[in-house]
Amino acid sequence: MNAIKQYIKDKNWQEILNYTKTLNAQERVEMIAYLHTLDLNIDLMGVLPDQVKDQVQPDFYTNRLAIETTLNYAFITCTRTIQELKLTENNKNGWVQNPLWQYLNSGVFGAGPLLELYKLFPPAYLNQAIREASKARFQNFDFTILWDLYTHGLIPFEEEFFVKVFFTIPMFKRNTQKDADFLWQNPEVLTKVFLQFYKYEVPVLDTSKWDTPNGFVCKRVTEFWTEVFQLLLEKGYVFNRLLVQQLMESLLNNWKKPQLDWHIRLLELLKTTSAEYLSYQNLLFSLLNTGSASLINFAVKQIHLLYKAENFDAAGFIANIPAIFSKEKGEKSILTSLEILDYLLSKPDYKDNGIAEHLSLLLIQPDVKIQERTALMLVKYTDKGFLRELVSPYLTNLKDKPKTILGLNTISAAINPEVHNQESKIVNHKPEVEHPRLAEDILLVPVNIPSTWEELLFQVGACIRTKSALDIDLFFEGLNQLQDIIPSGFEKQLKPYGKQLFNKFWGNEVMTCFTEFMDYWINKQMIDNKESEVVPFLKHKCLWMQQKLASNSLASGNSVSNPKVPFLSTPTHAPFYIHPKTLIERLLQYETQKVKVELEDLIVACNRTLYSLADEESIHLAKTLKGNYTAAIHYALDITDQAELNEELLPLWTQLTRIKHPSATLNVFGSTSAKEYPAVCKPFKLNFSVEIDKNEYATWYRLALEDNWNAAWFYKKKTTSYPSLFYNLAPFKAGYREEIPYQMSLTPQYLEALLCRYIPDTSSGNEVAELEDCLYPLQFLLDHQLTIYDSGWLYIAVCLVFEKKISRELASEYIQLSILGKQQDLTLLAEIIGKLISLNFSPVNRLIEYFDKPVDAIKIKEFQLLVLESCIQHFDAGRLPANSKKIIAYYLDWSKSLHKEIDTDTLSKLKSK
């Protein structure tokens, strides 16, 4: 055995093969077991990586990879069947390490050692092993090894597989010059693999690092292959012009936009001629129907060069061009198309009044130039008697000049008359009631706690499927109440769920906590007491349930020491609400059975309770409570208006009073230990500023929140932490995906502090986590129509001007809900938006997109005008943001249409600079 170890150290694969080729089946199994005992660093390298000095690390790691590849080769030489290959695998932390896979990836020795082995022992298992490896995550292959295996008849040629392997660029392993040389020297690879890329969605959108004639670069992989194309052209390779047609046809695939954009760049690189584009003009027309801005822009650009050609298909263009008329952010292409269309319609052969209805769709476009050009063409190609009927659906969206062109000044084009006559002033409107959630505002849907073993099993599946707070809470309550009827051998019935839970890395603490509990219940693995930083309440609930089950196994069913009292926080109505009567009845059970109430459970329960649902019976029951929480419950139910504070229940009192008076100043806490906490004495309102972060590559406008509330990395101040039971101060770390709605369900009636935890520090260039931060909380707000009062509006403002359109759309929808559905005063939101825009936090055009949405409601228009006023009032004449003129133009136009007085003083200051 020592000999094989030394051969591996010496990277002597020939001697390894000579040694292992004589082994019988049993000896090969023993050799595989021995090889598993070898530690790469200690036994073979004799040193740990962190002990190597920086200056010799590159050589160290090069040598280490070669020795590791030799070790993998030693494993492979001991295999003759797929079963023996499986014995060589090593499972580390859920990742399968297969020596053959690793050898095919490294490329250190090429295919030579494998070919020598397979001459002696032809591998019937090789193709199956490679196909299995191709399905593994993050598994790459060295293409030259695979190609040699194919050319020697060891594996079949599968075009898609070979193309995708060739176009995959691992970090630091490829070189554009070497790849171009390889293709030049291997014409079969060039034609059989390389030039077939247009058929497949190859992995060219990854970012990687590779070597070039000018050194290493880190870019998107499309740049690697563009350079390879260029190098081949420089070498004199003449690409078959059929590739132009193939690339054109590939643009119609439903692939990711950047890959199709790359195909367009290749068409330019191949210097596609106007004659070629003219021969494929039907493909260009088809691109107009794709809905992709880049494809449409490309098609229109080429059509603009062709439309006067003799063989141009005018009828085909006229039939397809209406597809882009409703496209957003396509102003340039639309204007170019109108130029072409006007030219064609002016010819007698194509003058067709049927195009008028399609043209009228363009009036919904907010761009005034498009509206003007469309109006001119409608007047030119439409009968006057039909014109007014044609444009009437678009009156609310028309600017003044297009109206004049259309001769519609006599028509009231501002707002629907029925809405226009309402005398509602959103600026001065106050909420009708202070209480945030009334019964009539909510569609209450009762939920059922599992009452049988079969229902409990179904609830386990629901938890895995939805991962929601509601389903998990219902499961725990069902298990709590059904402890005495759990059948013997229940673990076997739970095995299918265990397979779903235990063999997966969940990546979120909601499912991690749930999985830990299920592991305890099924396998009796005690739950780790380590605190959860994201969903501590769920971790505590798992531990409480563990204690309940443990005590149930020790006590008789009727013993008081075996408390099956319900969790106070279990919802009674979807998605997380609790009826006040149920909460009181649960508290009375605790008092009857003399069970101590968990304060955290009570706080969450009170945060979820809809006190406006309390009836006379609820009030009567509440008056029979005797616990130290009685005064707080009475206060929440309006039985008393006096807050009887004590230090032990201070977290409960602060949250109940804030739920009851979300926007009030609460001086009653002025002498308590929590007086300096946000949202205790005063509503939760954060100051903010926008800081400029500049380097040689870019300038960032970063949002700095007071106390660095969102834990922005660039802001050096450490975020203040607050005691864990003050849930409305978000005393936990920001979460991801399923964790976010779970957190929000713990304090759904006052979310200000929690929402501000999820505010990104920049509106552009964010990572996935920040993109989700402006999605999941916002979706939760909308789905459950939750109310915002103070600094929560800062979150909405950021979402309204955020880089992802879905966030902007959802924020717009929530604003509409708040104005029209909740009758809220959004002056604060308008103030925040104006400040953010004036400080360059986000491009003006994102806000313009919001203004361009067609709306009929005067309240929405008034709010938008309020935002415009706020922007102008916050503008610094010395450093106006780009496109600030659009804000001023909209302000003047809308002030006129809404008959509002214009702030001439502020405007004159801006114009004077």
Side-chain angles (χ1 to χ4, degrees):
M1 294 296 185
N2 286 332
I4 201 78
K5 179 179 176 181
Q6 189 60 47
Y7 294 151
I8 294 171
K9 285 183 175 183
D10 296 340
K11 295 162 286 193
N12 192 337
W13 63 266
Q14 293 94 341
E15 289 300 328
I16 291 173
L17 179 58
N18 290 334
Y19 187 98
T20 58
K21 68 183 181 182
T22 61
L23 301 179
N24 60 37
Q26 180 59 37
E27 289 170 335
R28 291 198 303 273
V29 171
E30 292 173 357
M31 176 60 73
I32 290 172
Y34 169 72
L35 293 174
H36 275 306
T37 66
L38 296 179
D39 184 276
L40 177 61
N41 295 314
I42 297 174
D43 298 320
L44 300 177
M45 298 294 297
V47 63
L48 296 174
D50 57 6
Q51 297 172 340
V52 180
K53 294 181 180 180
D54 293 344
Q55 56 267 32
V56 297
Q57 276 193 356
D59 292 337
F60 170 81
Y61 280 107
T62 299
N63 184 50
R64 186 177 187 272
L65 178 61
I67 292 177
E68 183 180 24
T69 304
T70 310
L71 173 61
N72 289 327
Y73 183 70
F75 273 114
I76 297 168
T77 61
C78 295
T79 62
R80 306 289 183 268
T81 65
I82 193 70
Q83 291 76 21
E84 288 181 337
L85 184 64
K86 293 291 183 183
L87 293 177
T88 68
E89 291 180 353
N90 189 15
N91 193 317
K92 287 188 177 181
N93 300 320
W95 295 97
V96 174
Q97 295 180 334
N98 182 301
L100 177 60
W101 299 1
Q102 292 176 295
Y103 186 95
L104 293 173
N105 175 45
S106 73
V108 171
F109 301 126
L114 290 180
L115 295 176
E116 291 298 318
L117 170 66
Y118 295 146
K119 282 180 186 177
L120 300 173
F121 309 104
Y125 63 84
L126 185 59
N127 189 51
Q128 178 186 347
I130 290 176
R131 300 312 298 171
E132 288 180 3
S134 69
K135 297 175 183 177
R137 293 184 67 190
F138 311 121
Q139 179 62 44
N140 298 316
F141 299 94
D142 183 281
F143 177 82
T144 59
I145 295 179
L146 288 181
W147 186 254
D148 283 342
L149 293 175
Y150 156 67
T151 56
H152 284 79
L154 293 171
I155 59 174
F157 179 77
E158 296 179 30
E159 184 181 88
E160 182 177 2
F161 173 65
F162 272 74
V163 171
K164 289 187 174 180
V165 168
F166 188 61
F167 275 81
T168 299
I169 307 298
M171 299 285 279
F172 300 107
K173 288 191 175 182
R174 297 283 279 271
N175 181 299
T176 51
Q177 186 66 59
K178 289 182 179 178
D179 270 46
D181 293 342
F182 175 77
L183 290 170
W184 183 262
Q185 296 159 8
N186 295 271
E188 186 181 3
V189 176
L190 197 155
T191 56
K192 200 169 185 176
V193 179
F194 178 64
L195 290 180
Q196 307 308 315
F197 74 94
Y198 69 90
K199 300 177 183 178
Y200 309 108
E201 202 165 6
V202 290
V204 293
L205 303 184
D206 299 332
T207 297
S208 188
K209 289 186 178 181
W210 62 83
D211 201 4
T212 73
N214 298 318
F216 275 95
V217 296
C218 179
K219 295 181 180 179
R220 182 172 274 181
V221 171
T222 52
E223 299 298 313
F224 179 96
W225 292 112
T226 300
E227 185 171 340
V228 170
F229 264 96
Q230 291 170 331
L231 291 170
L232 287 171
L233 288 170
E234 290 172 7
K235 285 175 175 287
Y237 185 81
V238 179
F239 288 95
N240 190 322
R241 300 311 289 180
L242 179 61
L243 181 59
V244 171
Q245 179 183 343
Q246 292 166 339
L247 286 171
M248 288 288 295
E249 291 172 346
S250 74
L251 297 180
L252 295 174
N253 288 319
N254 186 26
W255 292 347
K256 292 178 180 177
K257 174 184 175 296
Q259 178 160 351
L260 299 179
D261 291 345
W262 177 54
H263 286 200
I264 290 174
R265 294 196 296 276
L266 291 180
L267 286 168
E268 295 172 352
L269 186 66
L270 293 171
K271 297 182 179 179
T272 307
T273 65
S274 294
E276 287 174 313
Y277 281 128
L278 188 62
S279 65
Y280 306 130
Q281 60 181 304
N282 288 333
L283 289 173
L284 291 174
F285 298 156
S286 297
L287 294 179
L288 299 174
N289 296 277
T290 60
S292 167
S294 58
L295 295 179
I296 291 170
N297 293 339
F298 165 73
V300 170
K301 177 183 176 182
Q302 303 310 323
I303 292 169
H304 189 245
L305 300 174
L306 307 174
Y307 76 97
K308 292 183 180 180
E310 182 179 351
N311 295 327
F312 182 71
D313 182 7
F317 174 77
I318 294 172
N320 285 277
I321 197 59
I324 77 169
F325 286 172
S326 59
K327 181 68 181 172
E328 296 180 5
K329 296 184 178 179
E331 292 85 356
K332 185 176 180 180
S333 290
I334 290 174
L335 286 169
T336 303
S337 299
L338 288 177
E339 176 191 335
I340 300 170
L341 193 59
D342 197 11
Y343 172 82
L344 298 176
L345 292 177
S346 64
K347 294 184 175 183
D349 294 344
Y350 301 109
K351 190 169 184 178
D352 178 11
N353 287 336
I355 196 66
E357 289 189 31
H358 294 302
L359 278 174
S360 65
L361 288 173
L362 287 167
L363 297 178
I364 201 171
Q365 290 284 349
D367 186 83
V368 67
K369 292 182 180 179
I370 293 177
Q371 289 190 6
E372 290 175 13
R373 185 68 185 257
T374 303
L376 289 168
M377 292 181 66
L378 285 172
V379 170
K380 185 176 180 180
Y381 299 112
T382 309
D383 293 333
K384 289 185 179 180
F386 183 52
L387 185 59
R388 291 197 175 191
E389 178 184 344
L390 195 63
V391 303
S392 60
Y394 313 105
L395 292 178
T396 58
N397 197 52
L398 284 176
K399 305 291 191 296
D400 285 342
K401 191 170 180 181
K403 290 179 196 173
T404 302
I405 294 171
L406 292 166
L408 301 176
N409 289 330
T410 58
I411 299 178
S412 174
I415 297 172
N416 185 308
E418 190 173 320
V419 180
H420 181 67
N421 291 331
Q422 297 175 0
E423 295 295 330
S424 76
K425 306 295 182 182
I426 190 67
V427 177
N428 298 320
H429 186 82
K430 298 295 181 185
E432 296 175 7
V433 291
E434 188 180 24
H435 203 290
R437 302 294 281 169
L438 297 179
E440 57 267 25
D441 296 332
I442 308 166
L443 179 61
L444 291 174
V445 179
V447 295
N448 296 315
I449 296 169
S451 57
T452 66
W453 173 247
E454 290 73 21
E455 290 179 0
L456 188 63
L457 288 176
F458 180 81
Q459 193 63 36
V460 174
C463 293
I464 298 172
R465 186 176 64 257
T466 70
K467 308 170 185 63
S468 71
L470 175 64
D471 279 317
I472 292 173
D473 283 352
L474 290 177
F475 162 74
F476 278 124
E477 190 57 61
L479 178 57
N480 180 35
Q481 300 302 324
L482 297 174
Q483 293 180 64
D484 290 337
I485 66 165
I486 296 175
S488 59
F490 70 92
E491 294 88 351
K492 290 184 179 180
Q493 297 184 52
L494 291 171
K495 269 192 176 181
Y497 301 112
K499 289 181 179 179
Q500 296 180 58
L501 290 168
F502 305 143
N503 297 327
K504 183 173 182 178
F505 173 72
W506 286 101
N508 73 82
E509 291 195 22
V510 170
M511 290 308 295
T512 299
C513 289
F514 181 71
T515 301
E516 283 183 352
F517 173 78
M518 293 298 291
D519 197 21
Y520 162 74
W521 190 26
I522 298 172
N523 302 317
K524 302 303 179 284
Q525 293 290 326
M526 297 300 289
I527 299 172
D528 185 354
N529 284 321
K530 183 181 178 182
E531 189 75 21
S532 168
E533 295 182 321
V534 179
V535 285
F537 178 71
L538 178 56
K539 185 62 175 282
H540 298 161
K541 204 161 194 175
C542 292
L543 291 170
W544 296 336
M545 193 66 236
Q546 177 179 264
Q547 293 169 7
K548 283 173 173 285
L549 292 174
S551 65
N552 188 32
S553 65
L554 298 174
S556 63
N558 298 321
S559 171
V560 175
S561 65
N562 175 29
K564 298 187 186 66
V565 290
F567 291 106
L568 298 174
S569 56
T570 304
T572 60
H573 293 76
F576 36 65
Y577 293 117
I578 299 175
H579 196 288
K581 179 183 175 184
T582 303
L583 174 60
I584 297 165
E585 289 173 340
R586 290 171 179 171
L587 286 169
L588 288 172
Q589 287 186 57
Y590 276 76
E591 293 181 4
T592 300
Q593 298 190 36
K594 299 181 180 179
V595 177
K596 181 183 177 182
V597 169
E598 288 284 355
L599 181 56
E600 186 176 12
D601 196 28
L602 175 60
I603 288 171
V604 173
C606 289
N607 286 343
R608 290 175 168 179
T609 299
L610 289 174
Y611 300 100
S612 59
L613 298 178
D615 53 18
E616 290 186 9
E617 185 178 1
S618 303
I619 301 298
H620 175 72
L621 285 173
K623 291 179 178 179
T624 66
L625 291 171
K626 296 182 176 61
N628 61 351
Y629 43 75
T630 300
I633 299 298
H634 286 182
Y635 180 84
L637 294 172
D638 291 327
I639 297 174
T640 178
D641 59 1
Q642 297 298 314
E644 300 178 15
L645 306 181
N646 64 69
E647 194 65 27
E648 181 185 359
L649 297 182
L650 192 57
L652 175 63
W653 274 104
T654 57
Q655 291 171 79
L656 280 177
T657 51
R658 187 51 67 195
I659 289 173
K660 192 172 180 180
H661 305 290
S663 298
T665 298
L666 304 171
N667 294 322
V668 67
F669 295 105
S671 59
T672 68
S673 60
K675 63 182 178 181
E676 300 298 332
Y677 294 175
V680 173
C681 291
K682 296 180 179 179
F684 187 82
K685 291 183 179 179
L686 289 178
N687 294 320
F688 66 91
S689 61
V690 175
E691 309 292 338
I692 298 177
D693 179 16
K694 181 183 288 189
N695 59 31
E696 59 181 309
Y697 303 107
T699 298
W700 303 86
Y701 294 90
R702 299 195 180 276
L703 186 62
L705 301 187
E706 180 183 350
D707 197 33
N708 195 19
W709 194 264
N710 56 347
W713 64 268
F714 82 98
Y715 199 20
K716 303 304 179 185
K717 186 181 187 315
K718 186 177 180 180
T719 306
T720 303
S721 58
Y722 295 94
S724 60
L725 294 183
F726 287 82
Y727 269 50
N728 63 354
L729 297 183
F732 25 65
K733 281 189 175 181
Y736 301 95
R737 300 199 178 187
E738 292 86 359
E739 297 165 345
I740 295 173
Y742 192 94
Q743 288 180 345
M744 296 179 76
S745 77
L746 303 177
T747 175
Q749 300 187 73
Y750 196 75
L751 288 162
E752 315 301 296
L754 183 55
L755 287 175
C756 289
R757 296 283 193 212
Y758 289 99
I759 295 177
D761 60 55
T762 179
S763 69
S764 301
N766 286 284
E767 301 292 339
V768 172
E770 288 76 24
L771 299 182
E772 292 181 350
D773 289 348
C774 279
L775 176 60
Y776 287 97
L778 187 52
Q779 187 69 62
F780 192 85
L781 287 173
L782 267 171
D783 288 346
H784 308 306
Q785 300 189 20
L786 303 178
T787 304
I788 289 175
Y789 301 99
D790 299 300
S791 274
W793 289 117
L794 178 56
Y795 174 78
I796 298 298
V798 170
C799 290
L800 186 66
V801 295
F802 195 59
E803 60 184 296
K804 298 300 287 185
K805 185 172 182 180
I806 187 172
S807 297
R808 300 196 298 271
E809 295 284 349
L810 291 175
S812 173
E813 188 178 341
Y814 185 79
I815 290 169
Q816 181 170 317
L817 168 69
S818 301
I819 293 174
L820 301 182
K822 297 177 179 293
Q823 303 294 309
Q824 285 185 275
D825 177 2
L826 302 195
T827 304
L828 177 60
L829 175 60
E831 177 76 11
I832 293 170
I833 296 171
K835 186 175 179 181
L836 290 175
I837 293 297
S838 69
L839 294 174
N840 273 310
F841 176 70
S842 182
V844 165
N845 282 345
R846 291 186 191 160
L847 185 60
I848 295 297
E849 176 189 286
Y850 170 61
F851 296 144
D852 283 339
K853 291 179 179 294
V855 293
D856 285 337
I858 190 171
K859 289 183 177 181
I860 302 294
K861 287 287 188 182
E862 287 181 333
F863 168 72
Q864 291 176 330
L865 180 60
L866 195 62
V867 174
L868 290 165
E869 289 176 348
S870 176
C871 290
I872 291 171
Q873 289 165 4
H874 282 94
F875 279 164
D876 181 346
R879 52 172 190 171
L880 292 172
N883 294 312
S884 59
K885 290 181 179 179
K886 290 184 179 181
I887 295 285
I888 296 172
Y890 273 66
Y891 172 67
L892 294 173
D893 189 29
W894 287 11
S895 294
K896 181 180 177 181
S897 63
L898 292 172
H899 309 290
K900 300 288 186 179
E901 184 178 349
I902 294 174
D903 185 354
T904 55
D905 291 340
T906 301
L907 288 176
S908 63
K909 292 177 183 177
L910 295 177
K911 291 178 181 179
S912 65
K913 293 288 183 180

